[in-house]
Amino acid sequence: MTTAERQRKAQELIRPQLPPELSRRDGRCPFDPAAALTELSGQGRVHRFEQADGDVVWLVTGHEEARAVLAEPRMSADRMNSPRARRVISPELHAEMFPPERRAGSFIFMDAPEHTRIRKMLTGQFTVRRMRDLTPRVHEIVTSHLDAMVEKGPPADLVRDFALPVPSLVICELLGVDYGDRDEFQERTAKLLSLDATIDEQIKNATGLRVFMHSLVRSKQAAQGDDLLSGLVRDTDLSTDELVGVANLLLIAGHETTANMLALGTFALLEHPGQFAKLRDEPELIDNAVEELLRYLSIVSMGVARHAKEDVEIGGVTIRAGETVVVSVPAVNRDPGQYEDPHALLVDRPRGHHVAFGHGIHQCLGQQLARVEMTVGFTELLRRLPSLRLAVPVDEVPLRTDMSIYGVHRLPVTW
């Protein structure tokens, strides 16, 4: 068996195996979770599945139970060293798949105290005040792309012309990445997030991104600027490998998730013309609308995985040490016990505690930046293009059902 074949087999073994119909959006509504997932959610809040090899995976669909899992220190985010990973692959293959340089800086897959050490160094760079101070620049970026769309005239692809370049340019400026390199990191990121990519392709693109970011980190170590990455080089004791890992995470998360929220959020508003009109005519609702779109769309295709370090009781069931738990974000954010009429998009819905950004110590570090970008993006889009509408039938909009971050590949619009 070749190295690539061994790695592929190992990935198949350590990845939680849940029925595919629970994550497969069936097309009846492009914004709803899989029908089977919604049906399962109505039957309980914590669900047990047994994998082919006898291992147990728990799927959490209840809001209260999800927050309990995500806040529980006995639940580990360290997938690289989970009991299942250690059990099903040899030490040699484990070292091959998860070398120290690949793990370094990947704080979203770490537990305290390692996670705490890195997160504290980053928190000062992502203060609410700093993100709000970025608002004028975000506004400039948004309006310049809308100006270009208007000047060119309809039709347009909202993904290509607006939703993707806006957060990409913002995160490039924030990190100090040359925007001219965007094609490379966007292409590599897309392949990393593809559900159809082979492990060989994922390893190749992950390696390519690390090489790309390693060069950038070295340049910041030689000459710092006023960007975030320079600040981390100057003000922290993160190693070079840790800086590369952190920067990679921020770059990927900083453009991919927000881009899909801007595009899919616009698509959702266009397919709910009453809500589109309400938000257009009452722009003061934008804060509520952003939180509602985050809740309603829940673009993480399946969920967030943890494993129990010891026996833990969640929702009246005991999860044994070593067992895997998956928090189903789309189901949790549609929990009828938490939200009235949860399957409705209501831009004036009172703000609630959704888990689109997670919960607990791993809650998304860049959530305030994402909120700024969506607030400015949706406000200006509806103000500048009040007659915006789809340029193709709804069933011709290509959905990202092949990606771990849901959205649309293209969104043809006119006005």
Side-chain angles (χ1 to χ4, degrees):
M1 187 181 293
T2 66
T3 296
E5 288 170 337
R6 292 201 311 275
Q7 290 175 329
R8 184 183 300 111
K9 183 63 176 175
Q11 286 282 16
E12 291 172 356
L13 286 170
I14 66 175
R15 185 184 298 119
Q17 300 296 311
L18 289 165
E21 63 269 20
L22 296 181
S23 59
R24 187 186 301 124
R25 310 225 182 191
D26 56 18
R28 62 194 172 93
C29 174
F31 317 114
D32 286 349
L37 179 61
T38 300
E39 182 179 353
L40 181 69
S41 300
Q43 299 169 7
R45 308 174 72 78
V46 183
H47 313 269
R48 184 182 187 275
F49 293 88
E50 189 167 312
Q51 302 195 104
D53 59 4
D55 275 5
V56 171
V57 177
W58 297 88
L59 184 67
V60 175
T61 58
H63 185 273
E64 181 179 344
E65 292 77 11
R67 286 166 65 90
V69 168
L70 297 174
E72 175 56 68
R74 293 172 293 176
M75 288 290 180
S76 174
D78 187 358
R79 64 174 186 173
M80 301 177 193
N81 289 302
S82 70
R84 180 171 176 78
R86 290 292 187 184
R87 184 169 62 255
V88 302
I89 59 179
S90 68
E92 294 77 17
L93 183 53
H94 190 279
E96 183 182 328
M97 291 182 64
F98 305 124
E101 64 271 17
R102 180 177 176 185
R103 175 179 169 78
S106 298
F107 62 98
I108 63 173
F109 301 120
M110 295 176 180
D111 300 328
E114 194 176 10
H115 169 271
T116 308
R117 177 182 68 87
I118 295 179
R119 176 108 181 185
K120 278 185 176 179
M121 295 181 191
L122 295 171
T123 301
Q125 303 287 339
F126 282 91
T127 62
V128 174
R129 179 178 179 179
R130 180 172 186 174
M131 296 304 104
R132 287 176 178 166
D133 287 346
L134 283 172
T135 300
R137 179 56 184 145
V138 172
H139 191 273
E140 289 177 3
I141 293 171
V142 165
T143 53
S144 69
H145 282 83
L146 288 174
D147 286 344
M149 282 177 57
V150 170
E151 182 177 355
K152 182 181 177 183
D157 174 7
L158 199 77
V159 173
R160 180 197 62 210
D161 297 332
F162 181 75
L164 183 56
V166 166
S168 293
L169 183 51
V170 171
I171 198 63
C172 281
E173 291 192 2
L174 187 63
L175 288 177
V177 176
D178 186 346
Y179 189 56
D181 292 327
R182 66 190 182 280
D183 288 343
E184 178 179 350
F185 72 71
Q186 286 173 357
E187 181 180 357
R188 292 193 184 278
T189 298
K191 289 180 179 177
L192 280 173
L193 296 174
S194 171
L195 297 175
D196 298 329
T198 66
I199 188 64
D200 304 346
E201 292 170 331
Q202 290 190 337
I203 291 172
K204 177 182 177 181
N205 283 288
T207 301
L209 269 177
R210 289 195 65 84
V211 170
F212 167 79
M213 196 56 72
H214 193 276
S215 175
L216 178 66
V217 167
R218 285 298 191 192
S219 72
K220 302 297 181 183
Q221 290 171 328
Q224 288 113 49
D226 58 0
D227 54 85
L228 187 150
L229 187 53
S230 291
L232 292 176
V233 169
R234 181 174 53 248
D235 302 330
T236 73
D237 60 359
L238 291 171
S239 69
T240 297
D241 281 339
E242 286 175 331
L243 287 165
V244 170
V246 166
N248 263 335
L249 285 176
L250 297 179
L251 182 64
I252 294 170
H255 79 276
E256 188 70 30
T257 52
T258 306
N260 283 289
M261 276 303 307
L262 285 170
L264 190 63
T266 301
F267 186 21
L269 288 169
L270 292 175
E271 286 302 291
H272 295 78
Q275 298 302 304
F276 180 99
K278 180 182 283 289
L279 182 57
R280 179 194 61 204
D281 298 340
E282 301 176 54
E284 65 274 12
L285 292 174
I286 186 60
D287 289 343
N288 295 69
V290 165
E291 301 305 317
E292 173 68 346
L293 287 166
L294 286 163
R295 179 203 71 83
Y296 179 72
L297 297 174
S298 298
I299 60 175
V300 176
S301 290
M302 189 63 232
V304 180
R306 297 285 187 266
H307 69 265
K309 294 190 283 188
E310 56 184 87
D311 291 359
V312 181
E313 184 174 319
I314 299 291
V317 304
T318 299
I319 296 167
R320 301 297 181 188
E323 293 180 340
T324 300
V325 181
V326 177
V327 174
S328 175
V329 175
V332 169
N333 280 341
R334 299 283 187 100
D335 182 355
Q338 179 70 19
Y339 307 101
E340 184 178 350
D341 199 6
H343 298 293
L345 173 63
L346 304 171
V347 296
D348 57 354
R349 187 189 297 271
R351 298 177 66 172
H353 298 289
H354 59 71
V355 295
F357 289 122
H359 179 66
I361 65 170
H362 285 90
Q363 194 170 30
C364 176
L365 189 65
Q367 60 181 288
Q368 297 305 331
L369 176 60
R371 286 186 170 102
V372 168
E373 292 174 304
M374 285 186 280
T375 296
V376 176
F378 288 127
T379 298
E380 290 303 309
L381 183 67
L382 271 62
R383 184 182 71 83
R384 294 285 301 278
L385 302 173
S387 61
L388 191 70
R389 60 191 184 277
L390 287 180
V392 297
V394 64
D395 59 1
E396 292 183 16
V397 175
L399 304 175
R400 285 169 52 107
T401 53
D402 57 337
M403 309 294 282
S404 58
I405 301 297
Y406 185 61
V408 294
H409 287 292
R410 295 180 302 280
L411 189 65
V413 294
T414 188
W415 56 90

